[in-house]
Amino acid sequence: VALKNLGKKAKHLGRKVASPVTKGVRSWAIKRTEKRIAEAGVDISALSEEELEILVCEEEEKLKNAIQKYGMGAVMFALVGSP
């Protein structure tokens, strides 16, 4: 697993999750990260907590960009409809 922009992503470590929307995005990002790791054939236990946090933050950024691009309604629909 390549860790890009460690300094940029590290600023997210230890932050508090506030709103239900943020919690939903984080939860969805965690699920997507687990899927990404499994598809890459990487053993999740081989990754440090910091590496996992960086990967989750990358997914959160992708989701936030989707919210900005497609609008909150479409993303909320996807969150509610996600497994």
Side-chain angles (χ1 to χ4, degrees), residues 24-44:
V25 169
R26 179 129 179 112
S27 175
W28 197 18
I30 290 169
K31 289 177 187 176
R32 288 175 56 155
T33 301
E34 289 171 343
K35 182 179 177 184
R36 226 171 104 188
I37 292 169
E39 288 174 349
V42 176
D43 183 12
I44 199 164

Side-chain angles (χ1 to χ4, degrees), residues 20-59:
V21 172
T22 303
K23 288 180 183 178
V25 169
R26 179 129 179 112
S27 175
W28 197 18
I30 290 169
K31 289 177 187 176
R32 288 175 56 155
T33 301
E34 289 171 343
K35 182 179 177 184
R36 226 171 104 188
I37 292 169
E39 288 174 349
V42 176
D43 183 12
I44 199 164
S45 64
L47 300 171
S48 71
E49 187 175 327
E50 186 173 313
E51 291 170 324
L52 292 171
E53 180 65 22
I54 291 166
L55 293 171
V56 170
C57 286
E58 287 175 354
E59 288 298 324

